[in-house]
Amino acid sequence: MDEPSDWALLVGVLVLYLAIGFGLEYRAKRRAGATRPAKAATRGLFSERDGLDPKQHFASRMVMLAGGLATGGAGFLTRDAPTVVQVMVMGVVAVVAIFAWAYFDHRTEPREGS
């Protein structure tokens, strides 16, 4: 973390995860019929969802954390590579981790009428 670009990359990954988390929360609030889903998603971003088992919520956050650690690990392992390669590898790992997180949340989301 000697270069400002290293910090920018770290902040970029965190912002990406926050944006994806907001998107997932927004989708859940809109599906639930919230009148103002953006505001409800902002409030509910770090709180537990209604009707979601706390163990599932914890597991979801652990999947998110593992994805963040995998992305950081990919950046660490490619620290000697050119910056473009490092960013590309981290981007691919982050996208895969985000899709895994979204898939987990989709599979564990409470269903209507079940």
Side-chain angles (χ1 to χ4, degrees):
M1 290 294 212
D2 297 332
E3 300 290 323
S5 62
D6 295 340
W7 286 103
L9 194 58
L10 176 67
V11 169
V13 168
L14 294 174
V15 167
L16 181 64
Y17 270 91
L18 186 62
I20 296 298
F22 177 80
L24 291 172
E25 191 69 24
Y26 177 83
R27 180 184 61 111
K29 297 298 183 188
R30 197 176 78 217
R31 282 179 145 182
T35 56
R36 298 175 68 187
K39 188 173 185 175
T42 302
R43 278 195 312 258
L45 190 58
F46 296 106
S47 65
E48 293 187 29
R49 289 187 193 161
D50 295 331
L52 184 64
D53 182 19
K55 291 178 184 177
Q56 286 178 339
H57 180 74
F58 178 74
S60 172
R61 295 306 179 229
M62 290 300 104
V63 170
M64 179 184 73
L65 178 63
L69 290 173
T71 303
F76 178 76
L77 293 174
T78 58
R79 68 187 176 279
D80 295 330
T83 304
V84 173
V85 173
Q86 184 182 27
V87 170
M88 288 177 57
V89 168
M90 289 181 71
V92 168
V93 171
V95 167
V96 169
I98 288 166
F99 276 109
W101 179 34
Y103 180 75
F104 179 83
D105 275 358
H106 173 72
R107 296 295 296 169
T108 58
E109 183 177 275
R111 303 283 184 233
E112 301 287 325
S114 296

XYZ file of all heavy atoms in Angstrom:
864
model
N 0.824 -1.185 0.000
C 0.000 0.000 0.000
C 0.872 1.254 0.000
O 0.644 2.167 0.771
C -0.931 0.018 1.195
C -2.023 -0.992 1.126
S -3.117 -0.621 -0.198
C -4.643 -1.186 0.412
N 1.880 1.240 -0.846
C 2.777 2.392 -0.916
C 2.283 3.446 -1.890
O 2.527 4.628 -1.711
C 4.180 1.939 -1.345
C 4.792 0.986 -0.331
O 4.431 1.083 0.853
O 5.618 0.154 -0.725
N 1.607 3.019 -2.908
C 1.177 3.923 -3.973
C -0.263 4.392 -3.744
O -1.094 3.630 -3.246
C 1.252 3.211 -5.323
C 2.638 2.730 -5.688
C 3.564 3.873 -6.010
O 3.112 4.859 -6.622
O 4.747 3.785 -5.633
N -0.584 5.609 -4.148
C -1.979 6.067 -4.061
C -2.918 5.204 -4.905
O -4.079 5.028 -4.553
C -1.926 7.495 -4.593
C -0.513 7.923 -4.416
C 0.325 6.691 -4.550
N -2.404 4.629 -5.991
C -3.256 3.780 -6.830
C -3.677 2.520 -6.083
O -4.755 1.970 -6.344
C -2.538 3.414 -8.133
O -1.367 2.660 -7.861
N -2.847 2.037 -5.154
C -3.227 0.875 -4.341
C -4.436 1.206 -3.474
O -5.366 0.409 -3.342
C -2.065 0.431 -3.455
C -0.879 -0.089 -4.239
O -1.067 -0.461 -5.421
O 0.239 -0.117 -3.682
N -4.411 2.386 -2.879
C -5.541 2.808 -2.047
C -6.786 3.033 -2.901
O -7.888 2.697 -2.493
C -5.203 4.073 -1.263
C -4.259 3.781 -0.135
C -2.916 4.029 -0.105
C -4.581 3.143 1.103
N -2.389 3.594 1.082
C -3.388 3.046 1.845
C -5.751 2.644 1.655
C -3.336 2.470 3.117
C -5.708 2.082 2.923
C -4.510 1.997 3.629
N -6.586 3.598 -4.082
C -7.723 3.822 -4.985
C -8.342 2.497 -5.397
O -9.563 2.372 -5.481
C -7.278 4.602 -6.212
N -7.519 1.495 -5.626
C -8.020 0.175 -5.989
C -8.815 -0.439 -4.841
O -9.903 -0.995 -5.042
C -6.846 -0.716 -6.371
C -7.147 -2.022 -7.075
C -7.915 -1.770 -8.365
C -5.852 -2.747 -7.368
N -8.300 -0.308 -3.634
C -9.001 -0.831 -2.458
C -10.346 -0.137 -2.272
O -11.375 -0.788 -2.052
C -8.134 -0.647 -1.211
C -8.780 -1.075 0.106
C -8.982 -2.577 0.137
C -7.936 -0.615 1.269
N -10.359 1.167 -2.382
C -11.605 1.922 -2.251
C -12.574 1.537 -3.370
O -13.780 1.395 -3.145
C -11.324 3.441 -2.227
C -12.607 4.241 -2.362
C -10.591 3.818 -0.958
N -12.043 1.341 -4.567
C -12.889 0.931 -5.696
C -13.574 -0.396 -5.445
O -14.762 -0.560 -5.745
N -12.853 -1.352 -4.884
C -13.445 -2.658 -4.573
C -14.530 -2.500 -3.510
O -15.619 -3.083 -3.625
C -12.356 -3.662 -4.123
C -12.972 -4.904 -3.519
C -11.458 -4.027 -5.292
N -14.267 -1.718 -2.480
C -15.263 -1.516 -1.431
C -16.513 -0.821 -1.965
O -17.642 -1.193 -1.614
C -14.656 -0.718 -0.274
C -13.559 -1.425 0.502
C -12.943 -0.475 1.526
C -14.065 -2.682 1.161
N -16.332 0.176 -2.814
C -17.468 0.879 -3.406
C -18.264 -0.069 -4.302
O -19.503 -0.050 -4.304
C -16.996 2.129 -4.178
C -18.092 2.695 -5.050
C -16.504 3.181 -3.205
N -17.566 -0.920 -5.043
C -18.246 -1.887 -5.896
C -19.119 -2.830 -5.071
O -20.277 -3.067 -5.407
C -17.220 -2.678 -6.710
C -17.764 -3.720 -7.672
C -18.593 -3.062 -8.773
C -16.619 -4.505 -8.277
N -18.581 -3.340 -3.981
C -19.365 -4.227 -3.121
C -20.551 -3.489 -2.499
O -21.644 -4.038 -2.392
C -18.487 -4.849 -2.030
C -17.875 -6.141 -2.485
C -16.642 -6.164 -3.100
C -18.552 -7.333 -2.339
C -16.077 -7.336 -3.543
C -18.011 -8.519 -2.778
C -16.775 -8.521 -3.377
O -16.237 -9.680 -3.817
N -20.348 -2.255 -2.097
C -21.441 -1.475 -1.528
C -22.530 -1.231 -2.576
O -23.718 -1.347 -2.284
C -20.909 -0.150 -0.989
C -21.898 0.719 -0.228
C -22.394 -0.002 1.010
C -21.246 2.023 0.165
N -22.133 -0.919 -3.800
C -23.101 -0.677 -4.875
C -23.888 -1.943 -5.203
O -25.109 -1.895 -5.390
C -22.389 -0.157 -6.128
N -23.214 -3.070 -5.259
C -23.910 -4.334 -5.536
C -24.838 -4.677 -4.377
O -25.973 -5.114 -4.586
C -22.904 -5.466 -5.786
C -22.092 -5.175 -7.051
C -23.600 -6.812 -5.886
C -22.898 -5.084 -8.321
N -24.381 -4.469 -3.151
C -25.237 -4.724 -1.986
C -26.480 -3.858 -2.012
O -27.585 -4.321 -1.725
N -26.312 -2.580 -2.379
C -27.462 -1.686 -2.492
C -28.399 -2.177 -3.591
O -29.608 -2.172 -3.420
C -27.002 -0.254 -2.793
C -28.155 0.689 -2.999
C -28.836 1.208 -1.920
C -28.567 1.032 -4.279
C -29.914 2.062 -2.098
C -29.635 1.885 -4.471
C -30.316 2.403 -3.378
N -27.843 -2.615 -4.710
C -28.671 -3.124 -5.810
C -29.489 -4.333 -5.401
O -30.676 -4.441 -5.731
N -28.868 -5.248 -4.679
C -29.592 -6.433 -4.213
C -30.679 -6.051 -3.214
O -31.793 -6.582 -3.256
C -28.618 -7.432 -3.582
C -27.648 -8.110 -4.532
C -26.622 -8.908 -3.741
C -28.378 -8.998 -5.515
N -30.354 -5.135 -2.322
C -31.336 -4.686 -1.329
C -32.480 -3.932 -2.006
O -33.652 -4.106 -1.654
C -30.649 -3.804 -0.286
C -31.491 -3.510 0.923
C -31.730 -4.720 1.798
O -30.933 -5.668 1.778
O -32.756 -4.713 2.508
N -32.154 -3.099 -2.983
C -33.175 -2.362 -3.730
C -34.129 -3.328 -4.428
O -35.345 -3.161 -4.387
C -32.501 -1.438 -4.750
C -33.475 -0.680 -5.620
C -34.050 0.496 -5.158
C -33.827 -1.138 -6.888
C -34.950 1.195 -5.934
C -34.729 -0.449 -7.672
C -35.281 0.718 -7.199
O -36.182 1.400 -7.967
N -33.561 -4.356 -5.063
C -34.388 -5.358 -5.750
C -35.320 -6.059 -4.761
O -36.506 -6.244 -5.029
C -33.497 -6.378 -6.444
C -34.266 -7.463 -7.182
C -33.312 -8.484 -7.742
N -32.559 -9.122 -6.685
C -32.703 -10.382 -6.319
N -33.542 -11.161 -6.952
N -31.994 -10.885 -5.338
N -34.795 -6.409 -3.595
C -35.614 -7.083 -2.589
C -36.736 -6.176 -2.089
O -37.877 -6.617 -1.923
C -34.747 -7.546 -1.422
N -36.425 -4.897 -1.868
C -37.448 -3.962 -1.383
C -38.506 -3.703 -2.451
O -39.689 -3.595 -2.151
C -36.817 -2.625 -0.949
C -35.857 -2.738 0.202
C -36.509 -3.238 1.452
C -35.509 -3.270 2.590
N -36.009 -3.910 3.786
N -38.076 -3.594 -3.710
C -39.025 -3.367 -4.792
C -39.944 -4.573 -4.961
O -41.143 -4.433 -5.162
C -38.278 -3.076 -6.093
C -39.191 -2.444 -7.132
C -38.465 -2.071 -8.379
N -38.271 -3.314 -9.127
C -37.203 -3.606 -9.836
N -36.210 -2.774 -9.902
N -37.123 -4.736 -10.478
N -39.379 -5.774 -4.855
C -40.191 -6.990 -4.948
C -41.176 -7.094 -3.796
O -42.257 -7.649 -3.948
C -39.299 -8.224 -4.940
C -38.641 -8.500 -6.223
C -37.790 -9.717 -6.070
N -37.786 -10.492 -7.286
C -37.164 -11.618 -7.429
N -36.497 -12.131 -6.411
N -37.187 -12.259 -8.579
N -40.766 -6.575 -2.634
C -41.641 -6.633 -1.459
C -42.743 -5.581 -1.517
O -43.623 -5.557 -0.673
C -40.822 -6.452 -0.187
N -42.677 -4.676 -2.501
C -43.731 -3.686 -2.679
C -43.525 -2.404 -1.899
O -44.495 -1.699 -1.601
N -42.293 -2.072 -1.560
C -42.027 -0.830 -0.835
C -42.406 0.368 -1.706
O -42.181 0.368 -2.913
C -40.554 -0.743 -0.447
N -43.000 1.385 -1.087
C -43.412 2.569 -1.850
C -42.206 3.395 -2.284
O -42.237 4.009 -3.340
C -44.364 3.452 -1.025
O -43.729 3.801 0.193
C -45.665 2.719 -0.753
N -41.176 3.419 -1.475
C -39.926 4.122 -1.828
C -38.774 3.139 -1.663
O -38.073 3.151 -0.646
C -39.754 5.334 -0.931
C -40.907 6.347 -1.135
C -40.847 7.498 -0.203
N -39.684 8.321 -0.538
C -39.280 9.341 0.203
N -39.929 9.658 1.295
N -38.230 10.039 -0.153
N -38.562 2.277 -2.660
C -37.573 1.205 -2.499
C -36.141 1.706 -2.323
O -35.361 1.073 -1.617
C -37.721 0.372 -3.770
C -38.420 1.242 -4.748
C -39.235 2.208 -3.953
N -35.781 2.830 -2.933
C -34.411 3.339 -2.785
C -34.141 3.753 -1.340
O -33.085 3.438 -0.780
C -34.165 4.502 -3.737
N -35.096 4.434 -0.731
C -34.931 4.867 0.654
C -34.937 3.661 1.591
O -34.120 3.582 2.514
C -36.050 5.835 1.035
C -35.852 6.479 2.377
C -36.897 7.548 2.623
C -36.620 8.256 3.917
N -37.520 9.369 4.155
N -35.829 2.713 1.327
C -35.887 1.505 2.155
C -34.608 0.680 2.006
O -34.118 0.111 2.980
C -37.108 0.668 1.765
N -34.057 0.642 0.802
C -32.818 -0.109 0.574
C -31.652 0.557 1.295
O -30.785 -0.127 1.841
C -32.533 -0.209 -0.917
N -31.637 1.870 1.316
C -30.564 2.582 2.017
C -30.623 2.299 3.508
O -29.601 2.032 4.137
C -30.672 4.100 1.768
O -30.618 4.335 0.357
C -29.555 4.846 2.450
N -31.830 2.326 4.073
C -31.979 2.024 5.509
C -31.674 0.571 5.800
O -31.100 0.249 6.835
C -33.394 2.343 5.963
C -33.630 3.790 6.287
C -34.913 3.962 7.074
N -36.027 3.235 6.480
C -36.991 3.780 5.740
N -36.984 5.078 5.529
N -37.947 3.059 5.223
N -32.072 -0.312 4.905
C -31.931 -1.736 5.160
C -30.630 -2.350 4.693
O -30.444 -3.552 4.798
N -29.713 -1.535 4.193
C -28.486 -2.074 3.615
C -27.677 -2.886 4.615
O -27.160 -3.938 4.284
C -27.634 -0.935 3.046
C -26.445 -1.347 2.196
C -26.898 -2.193 1.013
C -25.713 -0.128 1.698
N -27.575 -2.399 5.839
C -26.781 -3.102 6.834
C -27.623 -3.734 7.932
O -27.087 -4.227 8.909
C -25.747 -2.151 7.444
C -24.744 -1.682 6.440
C -24.794 -0.394 5.942
C -23.775 -2.539 5.973
C -23.876 0.037 5.014
C -22.850 -2.116 5.033
C -22.897 -0.828 4.559
N -28.925 -3.707 7.768
C -29.778 -4.332 8.771
C -30.267 -5.672 8.234
O -30.186 -5.958 7.049
C -30.971 -3.427 9.092
O -31.790 -3.290 7.959
N -30.775 -6.465 9.131
C -31.289 -7.768 8.726
C -32.613 -7.597 8.006
O -33.418 -6.746 8.347
C -31.469 -8.664 9.947
C -30.163 -9.039 10.594
C -30.338 -10.052 11.700
O -31.288 -10.849 11.644
O -29.525 -10.029 12.618
N -32.824 -8.437 7.008
C -34.097 -8.405 6.287
C -35.183 -9.044 7.130
O -34.947 -10.004 7.852
C -33.983 -9.183 4.975
C -33.157 -8.509 3.956
C -33.247 -9.271 2.670
N -32.222 -8.819 1.763
C -31.816 -9.493 0.732
N -32.339 -10.656 0.454
N -30.876 -9.022 -0.046
N -36.397 -8.511 6.984
C -37.531 -9.107 7.675
C -37.794 -10.492 7.103
O -37.797 -10.688 5.891
C -38.784 -8.242 7.506
C -38.631 -6.887 8.174
O -37.877 -6.814 9.163
O -39.255 -5.921 7.706
N -38.012 -11.449 7.972
C -38.344 -12.795 7.532
C -37.141 -13.631 7.128
O -37.291 -14.767 6.739
N -35.948 -13.083 7.204
C -34.748 -13.831 6.848
C -34.126 -14.376 8.120
O -33.944 -13.644 9.095
C -33.755 -12.944 6.105
C -32.491 -13.607 5.591
C -32.846 -14.662 4.531
C -31.566 -12.571 4.973
N -33.837 -15.649 8.096
C -33.202 -16.295 9.228
C -31.868 -15.601 9.534
O -31.083 -15.359 8.622
C -32.983 -17.767 8.881
C -32.378 -18.562 10.008
O -32.445 -18.112 11.169
O -31.843 -19.661 9.726
N -31.599 -15.265 10.776
C -30.322 -14.612 11.102
C -29.114 -15.419 10.666
O -28.084 -14.864 10.298
C -30.366 -14.463 12.630
C -31.808 -14.483 12.976
C -32.467 -15.371 11.954
N -29.229 -16.742 10.670
C -28.109 -17.572 10.207
C -27.873 -17.379 8.712
O -26.732 -17.356 8.266
C -28.380 -19.047 10.516
C -28.337 -19.362 11.985
C -28.646 -20.817 12.240
C -28.705 -21.105 13.723
N -29.077 -22.488 14.003
N -28.957 -17.247 7.959
C -28.813 -17.009 6.521
C -28.215 -15.634 6.261
O -27.399 -15.459 5.354
C -30.152 -17.142 5.810
C -30.625 -18.561 5.678
C -31.987 -18.638 5.010
O -32.739 -17.671 4.996
N -32.299 -19.806 4.475
N -28.630 -14.644 7.044
C -28.084 -13.298 6.901
C -26.579 -13.313 7.195
O -25.783 -12.732 6.458
C -28.799 -12.333 7.840
C -28.312 -10.930 7.759
N -28.618 -10.107 6.708
C -27.507 -10.213 8.583
C -28.040 -8.939 6.889
N -27.354 -8.978 8.021
N -26.207 -13.998 8.262
C -24.798 -14.109 8.622
C -24.022 -14.837 7.529
O -22.930 -14.411 7.142
C -24.653 -14.841 9.962
C -23.237 -15.036 10.388
C -22.497 -13.966 10.861
C -22.627 -16.277 10.307
C -21.180 -14.130 11.257
C -21.314 -16.452 10.694
C -20.588 -15.381 11.175
N -24.591 -15.923 7.011
C -23.922 -16.676 5.941
C -23.756 -15.806 4.698
O -22.719 -15.856 4.027
C -24.708 -17.941 5.617
N -24.767 -14.995 4.394
C -24.679 -14.097 3.245
C -23.537 -13.112 3.419
O -22.764 -12.857 2.481
C -25.999 -13.344 3.071
O -25.876 -12.346 2.095
N -23.406 -12.555 4.605
C -22.323 -11.602 4.854
C -20.961 -12.295 4.837
O -19.968 -11.706 4.428
C -22.533 -10.877 6.189
C -23.760 -9.999 6.187
C -23.738 -9.031 5.019
N -24.923 -8.209 4.986
C -25.660 -8.013 3.917
N -25.339 -8.581 2.786
N -26.718 -7.247 3.949
N -20.918 -13.560 5.235
C -19.657 -14.305 5.166
C -19.272 -14.601 3.720
O -18.091 -14.557 3.361
C -19.745 -15.612 5.964
C -19.799 -15.399 7.470
S -18.342 -14.548 8.114
C -18.973 -12.913 8.406
N -20.267 -14.886 2.863
C -19.998 -15.064 1.436
C -19.455 -13.761 0.859
O -18.486 -13.759 0.087
C -21.261 -15.539 0.681
C -21.066 -15.495 -0.819
C -21.643 -16.943 1.118
N -20.052 -12.638 1.252
C -19.586 -11.334 0.790
C -18.161 -11.080 1.274
O -17.300 -10.635 0.506
C -20.510 -10.234 1.303
C -20.084 -8.843 0.878
S -21.107 -7.543 1.570
C -20.585 -7.549 3.271
N -17.885 -11.373 2.526
C -16.557 -11.165 3.085
C -15.529 -12.057 2.392
O -14.423 -11.606 2.067
C -16.572 -11.435 4.589
C -15.242 -11.294 5.319
C -14.745 -9.851 5.220
C -15.388 -11.708 6.762
N -15.887 -13.309 2.148
C -14.969 -14.218 1.460
C -14.664 -13.714 0.051
O -13.517 -13.803 -0.419
C -15.560 -15.628 1.399
N -15.655 -13.165 -0.613
C -15.429 -12.595 -1.939
C -14.493 -11.404 -1.893
O -13.608 -11.257 -2.743
N -14.670 -10.573 -0.886
C -13.773 -9.427 -0.716
C -12.352 -9.869 -0.407
O -11.384 -9.317 -0.943
N -12.226 -10.888 0.448
C -10.899 -11.407 0.757
C -10.257 -12.067 -0.459
O -9.044 -11.927 -0.675
C -10.977 -12.390 1.923
C -11.299 -11.778 3.288
C -11.517 -12.873 4.327
C -10.202 -10.832 3.718
N -11.054 -12.783 -1.246
C -10.523 -13.399 -2.471
C -10.049 -12.329 -3.445
O -8.998 -12.473 -4.087
C -11.585 -14.285 -3.118
N -10.809 -11.254 -3.545
C -10.409 -10.146 -4.429
C -9.123 -9.502 -3.926
O -8.205 -9.233 -4.707
C -11.537 -9.107 -4.517
O -12.722 -9.757 -4.975
C -11.178 -7.988 -5.471
N -9.047 -9.261 -2.638
C -7.826 -8.705 -2.060
C -6.643 -9.654 -2.205
O -5.518 -9.233 -2.492
N -6.904 -10.955 -2.026
C -5.851 -11.952 -2.206
C -5.351 -11.993 -3.636
O -4.146 -12.133 -3.883
N -6.264 -11.850 -4.591
C -5.853 -11.814 -5.996
C -4.978 -10.598 -6.261
O -3.982 -10.678 -6.987
C -7.086 -11.797 -6.900
N -5.331 -9.482 -5.657
C -4.508 -8.281 -5.798
C -3.142 -8.455 -5.155
O -2.125 -8.040 -5.709
N -3.115 -9.110 -4.003
C -1.847 -9.343 -3.322
C -0.952 -10.282 -4.133
O 0.253 -10.051 -4.256
C -2.104 -9.927 -1.929
C -0.851 -10.247 -1.175
C -0.109 -9.232 -0.604
C -0.421 -11.550 -1.034
C 1.051 -9.509 0.090
C 0.739 -11.849 -0.344
C 1.482 -10.826 0.232
N -1.543 -11.334 -4.669
C -0.756 -12.309 -5.438
C -0.248 -11.749 -6.763
O 0.739 -12.250 -7.297
C -1.570 -13.572 -5.671
C -1.876 -14.389 -4.410
C -2.808 -15.547 -4.743
C -0.586 -14.883 -3.759
N -0.916 -10.732 -7.276
C -0.486 -10.142 -8.543
C 0.178 -8.784 -8.334
O 0.275 -7.993 -9.271
C -1.687 -9.993 -9.501
O -2.687 -9.183 -8.874
C -2.265 -11.329 -9.890
N 0.659 -8.520 -7.132
C 1.244 -7.215 -6.831
C 2.490 -6.907 -7.652
O 2.799 -5.745 -7.878
C 1.534 -7.093 -5.344
C 2.643 -8.002 -4.853
C 2.763 -7.950 -3.332
N 3.762 -8.885 -2.842
C 3.562 -10.196 -2.650
N 2.371 -10.709 -2.894
N 4.520 -10.965 -2.192
N 3.209 -7.928 -8.111
C 4.409 -7.700 -8.912
C 4.107 -7.621 -10.401
O 4.996 -7.292 -11.189
C 5.436 -8.807 -8.655
C 5.929 -8.781 -7.209
O 5.952 -7.678 -6.616
O 6.275 -9.850 -6.677
N 2.886 -7.915 -10.787
C 2.492 -7.841 -12.197
C 2.221 -6.381 -12.565
O 2.046 -5.531 -11.684
C 1.238 -8.682 -12.429
N 2.167 -6.093 -13.858
C 1.790 -4.726 -14.262
C 0.405 -4.366 -13.701
O -0.444 -5.235 -13.508
C 1.764 -4.797 -15.790
C 2.626 -5.955 -16.134
C 2.508 -6.923 -15.000
N 0.207 -3.103 -13.442
C -1.037 -2.636 -12.823
C -2.265 -3.044 -13.619
O -3.287 -3.420 -13.040
C -1.006 -1.107 -12.655
O 0.153 -0.761 -11.893
C -2.235 -0.608 -11.938
N -2.168 -3.005 -14.938
C -3.308 -3.376 -15.783
C -3.700 -4.829 -15.543
O -4.884 -5.159 -15.404
C -2.974 -3.137 -17.273
C -4.066 -3.673 -18.166
C -2.724 -1.672 -17.532
N -2.703 -5.701 -15.450
C -2.974 -7.122 -15.201
C -3.585 -7.295 -13.820
O -4.552 -8.050 -13.646
C -1.677 -7.951 -15.349
C -1.905 -9.394 -14.919
C -1.153 -7.883 -16.770
N -3.047 -6.603 -12.840
C -3.563 -6.708 -11.481
C -5.023 -6.268 -11.412
O -5.860 -6.942 -10.812
C -2.719 -5.865 -10.525
C -3.142 -6.000 -9.081
C -2.330 -5.128 -8.148
O -1.812 -4.094 -8.552
N -2.227 -5.535 -6.900
N -5.332 -5.160 -12.037
C -6.708 -4.657 -12.037
C -7.633 -5.635 -12.765
O -8.750 -5.906 -12.294
C -6.776 -3.251 -12.658
C -8.207 -2.818 -12.899
C -6.061 -2.248 -11.769
N -7.189 -6.192 -13.867
C -8.026 -7.138 -14.605
C -8.290 -8.404 -13.795
O -9.419 -8.885 -13.732
C -7.380 -7.482 -15.946
C -7.440 -6.343 -16.948
S -6.599 -6.700 -18.499
C -7.430 -8.170 -19.037
N -7.247 -8.941 -13.157
C -7.417 -10.149 -12.342
C -8.347 -9.869 -11.176
O -9.268 -10.649 -10.894
C -6.047 -10.672 -11.854
C -6.210 -11.736 -10.783
C -5.233 -11.216 -13.022
N -8.134 -8.745 -10.498
C -9.008 -8.399 -9.379
C -10.436 -8.167 -9.847
O -11.385 -8.546 -9.152
C -8.473 -7.165 -8.663
C -7.213 -7.422 -7.870
S -6.618 -5.954 -7.023
C -7.856 -5.785 -5.743
N -10.595 -7.561 -11.010
C -11.937 -7.339 -11.551
C -12.668 -8.637 -11.821
O -13.844 -8.788 -11.480
N -11.962 -9.595 -12.421
C -12.588 -10.886 -12.717
C -12.966 -11.607 -11.419
O -14.080 -12.132 -11.294
C -11.653 -11.754 -13.584
C -12.141 -13.191 -13.657
C -11.520 -11.165 -14.979
N -12.050 -11.622 -10.452
C -12.339 -12.280 -9.172
C -13.504 -11.577 -8.472
O -14.396 -12.232 -7.922
C -11.083 -12.318 -8.278
C -11.417 -12.802 -6.881
C -10.014 -13.206 -8.904
N -13.528 -10.260 -8.504
C -14.615 -9.514 -7.863
C -15.955 -9.805 -8.527
O -16.960 -10.008 -7.839
C -14.324 -8.018 -7.894
N -15.988 -9.847 -9.845
C -17.241 -10.134 -10.556
C -17.740 -11.535 -10.224
O -18.936 -11.741 -9.959
C -17.067 -9.926 -12.076
C -18.223 -10.511 -12.846
C -16.912 -8.444 -12.389
N -16.842 -12.516 -10.212
C -17.238 -13.886 -9.853
C -17.751 -13.928 -8.417
O -18.781 -14.562 -8.131
C -16.063 -14.866 -10.063
C -16.358 -16.222 -9.445
C -15.746 -15.017 -11.546
N -17.067 -13.248 -7.508
C -17.492 -13.233 -6.109
C -18.845 -12.543 -5.949
O -19.696 -13.002 -5.176
C -16.434 -12.531 -5.258
N -19.062 -11.482 -6.681
C -20.334 -10.767 -6.599
C -21.474 -11.637 -7.125
O -22.549 -11.700 -6.529
C -20.246 -9.425 -7.348
C -19.375 -8.455 -6.555
C -21.631 -8.832 -7.581
C -18.952 -7.235 -7.329
N -21.229 -12.334 -8.229
C -22.269 -13.228 -8.740
C -22.542 -14.371 -7.764
O -23.691 -14.783 -7.591
C -21.905 -13.767 -10.122
C -22.267 -12.826 -11.231
C -21.280 -12.149 -11.934
C -23.587 -12.595 -11.572
C -21.609 -11.269 -12.947
C -23.931 -11.716 -12.578
C -22.934 -11.052 -13.273
N -21.502 -14.889 -7.114
C -21.706 -15.941 -6.116
C -22.538 -15.414 -4.952
O -23.459 -16.087 -4.468
C -20.358 -16.460 -5.617
N -22.251 -14.203 -4.514
C -23.001 -13.591 -3.422
C -24.453 -13.365 -3.827
O -25.386 -13.675 -3.077
C -22.317 -12.292 -3.035
C -22.961 -11.512 -1.935
C -23.622 -11.991 -0.843
C -22.991 -10.095 -1.819
N -24.058 -10.952 -0.056
C -23.680 -9.786 -0.627
C -22.491 -9.057 -2.590
C -23.883 -8.486 -0.217
C -22.693 -7.767 -2.166
C -23.385 -7.486 -0.991
N -24.666 -12.827 -5.031
C -26.030 -12.580 -5.509
C -26.794 -13.892 -5.652
O -27.973 -13.972 -5.316
C -25.992 -11.843 -6.839
N -26.117 -14.924 -6.150
C -26.769 -16.233 -6.301
C -27.154 -16.791 -4.936
O -28.262 -17.297 -4.753
C -25.846 -17.203 -7.042
C -26.452 -18.563 -7.235
C -27.447 -18.765 -8.189
C -26.049 -19.639 -6.461
C -28.024 -20.007 -8.364
C -26.614 -20.884 -6.625
C -27.600 -21.072 -7.580
O -28.165 -22.304 -7.745
N -26.262 -16.680 -3.962
C -26.567 -17.159 -2.615
C -27.764 -16.413 -2.046
O -28.682 -17.016 -1.487
C -25.351 -17.000 -1.697
C -25.626 -17.456 -0.292
C -25.525 -18.790 0.038
C -26.010 -16.557 0.689
C -25.798 -19.224 1.332
C -26.278 -16.969 1.976
C -26.168 -18.307 2.293
N -27.769 -15.091 -2.181
C -28.897 -14.304 -1.673
C -30.189 -14.664 -2.387
O -31.256 -14.728 -1.778
C -28.621 -12.809 -1.811
C -27.835 -12.254 -0.643
O -27.535 -13.017 0.294
O -27.514 -11.056 -0.669
N -30.112 -14.903 -3.696
C -31.302 -15.276 -4.457
C -31.834 -16.632 -4.000
O -33.037 -16.807 -3.845
C -30.971 -15.310 -5.943
C -32.075 -15.847 -6.782
N -33.234 -15.131 -7.018
C -32.220 -17.032 -7.435
C -34.042 -15.860 -7.783
N -33.448 -17.005 -8.043
N -30.947 -17.585 -3.771
C -31.371 -18.927 -3.369
C -31.930 -18.976 -1.955
O -32.749 -19.826 -1.644
C -30.210 -19.917 -3.484
C -29.706 -20.111 -4.897
C -30.692 -20.740 -5.796
N -30.988 -22.075 -5.341
C -31.979 -22.809 -5.800
N -32.776 -22.344 -6.720
N -32.185 -24.020 -5.338
N -31.483 -18.088 -1.094
C -31.944 -18.118 0.300
C -33.025 -17.096 0.596
O -33.497 -17.017 1.724
C -30.759 -17.874 1.260
O -30.148 -16.629 0.968
C -29.728 -18.990 1.152
N -33.417 -16.310 -0.422
C -34.443 -15.279 -0.233
C -35.794 -15.946 0.053
O -36.166 -16.911 -0.618
C -34.537 -14.439 -1.507
C -35.510 -13.303 -1.436
C -35.463 -12.499 -2.721
O -34.605 -11.616 -2.826
O -36.281 -12.773 -3.619
N -36.529 -15.451 1.051
C -37.858 -16.017 1.321
C -38.765 -15.840 0.090
O -38.780 -14.795 -0.536
C -38.381 -15.188 2.500
C -37.201 -14.509 3.076
C -36.201 -14.373 1.985
N -39.477 -16.872 -0.234
C -40.352 -16.870 -1.402
C -41.791 -16.605 -0.989
O -42.236 -17.000 0.083
C -40.306 -18.219 -2.140
C -38.912 -18.602 -2.564
C -38.515 -17.813 -3.780
N -37.204 -18.264 -4.212
C -36.194 -17.472 -4.412
N -36.312 -16.196 -4.202
N -35.052 -17.926 -4.830
N -42.515 -15.930 -1.861
C -43.929 -15.678 -1.650
C -44.699 -16.987 -1.868
O -44.457 -17.692 -2.836
C -44.436 -14.623 -2.630
C -43.730 -13.291 -2.532
C -44.125 -12.523 -1.289
O -45.273 -12.612 -0.877
O -43.249 -11.832 -0.735
N -45.612 -17.308 -0.982
C -46.495 -18.443 -1.160
C -45.828 -19.795 -0.935
O -46.365 -20.817 -1.273
N -44.627 -19.823 -0.343
C -43.980 -21.111 -0.090
C -44.069 -21.465 1.361
O -44.023 -20.702 2.224
C -42.501 -21.045 -0.472
O -42.376 -20.832 -1.842
